[in-house]
Amino acid sequence: MRAMQHSSKLQNVRYELRGPILQAAKNMEAEGHRILKMNLGDTAPFGLEAPESVVVDMIHHLRGAQGYSDSKGIFTARTAISQYYQTRGLMNIGVEDIVIGNGVSELINMCLQAFLEDGDEILVPAPDYPLWTAAVTLTGGKPVHYLCDEAENWWPDMADVEAKITRRTKGIVIINPNNPTGAVYPRHILEQFAALARKHNLVLFSDEIYEKVLYADAQHIHTAAVAEDICCLTVMMELARAAV
């Protein structure tokens, strides 16, 4: 049988955790130990499950959920998301601005596939949640990594961000709160991102799925709040659903 080779598109894709720590965890699981994988965003293993009222309501509506929904997602769910953003001061976010998908990963891939031509560049933070680098690569784009400075609260080095912009740059990814560093960006950082997007006619991809996982006195600010005149695509998790 001819050996099967993976696509060259996978050359720069590095997604799952690898190495001796992972192997040790697998060995312990094989021996019967219960391993909590802290590298995953799955809350269920930690006992953070959906409230009983949500589960009951989902069961109640199952019989009416056998057909296709609107292509943008269930209207009532999109309405709830729109109203949530309005309570956060984003009054221009309407129901038709919301799209629901089967998780943020699917929506990121769909957005990038619709947006990028082969060779287009997207600025991605380093370190980053590796889905972004993988998704840009697999959709034919080129991820260009800008520095998040450990010595400066893991905030982006804005001079480095601007230095990485070329004629092929189409957008900037902002992960806030950041995965994996946990940094939460202050307003002036977001305003600088918005200024660069205006100056260079770029799209802002704002990954905010951990907006409610905050520590100490950190305050999360939506990128869209400082970028109402810019194309800003926000990915978030709400009511166990993903939206852009």
Side-chain angles (χ1 to χ4, degrees):
M1 180 182 294
R2 180 171 62 89
M4 302 301 293
Q5 299 293 325
H6 63 66
S7 167
S8 60
K9 294 178 182 178
L10 296 178
Q11 183 175 354
N12 296 315
V13 174
R14 299 288 184 269
Y15 192 69
E16 66 177 345
L17 184 67
R18 293 180 171 87
I21 294 178
L22 176 62
Q23 189 57 52
K26 287 183 175 180
N27 292 341
M28 292 178 69
E29 282 186 314
E31 294 170 355
H33 297 282
R34 180 170 178 260
I35 303 297
L36 289 178
K37 299 176 181 178
M38 304 294 289
N39 63 306
L40 300 178
D42 184 3
T43 59
F46 302 94
L48 300 174
E49 300 175 344
E52 184 65 19
S53 59
V54 173
V55 175
V56 170
D57 207 40
M58 289 176 65
I59 294 172
H60 177 73
H61 287 89
L62 275 177
R63 190 164 295 281
Q66 299 177 63
Y68 290 174
S69 72
D70 184 279
S71 60
K72 287 188 175 182
I74 299 171
F75 180 80
T76 52
R78 289 189 290 131
T79 300
I81 294 169
S82 174
Q83 291 173 346
Y84 167 78
Y85 272 108
Q86 289 174 8
T87 65
R88 304 278 290 182
L90 299 172
M91 305 307 296
N92 294 327
I93 305 297
V95 175
E96 292 304 312
D97 298 312
I98 308 296
V99 177
I100 296 177
N102 296 314
V104 164
S105 298
E106 176 190 62
L107 291 173
I108 289 172
N109 277 292
M110 291 175 67
C111 286
L112 291 173
Q113 286 172 348
F115 182 65
L116 293 180
E117 299 288 353
D118 289 349
D120 284 345
E121 298 174 358
I122 297 291
L123 270 58
V124 179
D128 79 315
Y129 177 54
L131 169 68
W132 281 103
T133 296
V136 172
T137 300
L138 291 172
T139 52
K142 177 183 177 182
V144 177
H145 295 93
Y146 64 83
L147 175 67
C148 293
D149 191 351
E150 183 178 7
E152 295 293 335
N153 305 306
W154 286 110
W155 292 350
D157 181 332
M158 299 308 297
D160 185 60
V161 176
E162 184 160 26
K164 298 288 176 62
I165 296 174
T166 73
R167 64 180 182 83
R168 295 304 302 266
T169 306
K170 298 293 291 292
I172 305 174
V173 174
I174 305 168
I175 305 177
N176 179 42
N178 185 268
N179 179 1
T181 69
V184 180
Y185 301 152
R187 180 176 291 273
H188 76 270
I189 293 289
L190 300 177
E191 288 175 341
Q192 289 179 73
F193 274 120
L196 286 178
R198 291 189 192 96
K199 179 179 178 180
H200 298 280
N201 194 27
L202 304 176
V203 173
L204 294 178
F205 296 90
S206 191
D207 184 337
E208 302 180 11
I209 70 168
Y210 289 117
E211 64 171 279
K212 295 181 180 178
V213 183
L214 304 173
Y215 299 94
D217 58 350
Q219 178 185 8
H220 178 261
I221 300 170
H222 295 292
T223 302
V226 300
E228 293 193 45
D229 59 326
I230 299 167
C231 182
C232 179
L233 301 177
T234 300
V235 293
M236 50 86 78
M237 296 293 292
E238 185 68 15
L239 302 177
R241 301 182 177 95
V244 171

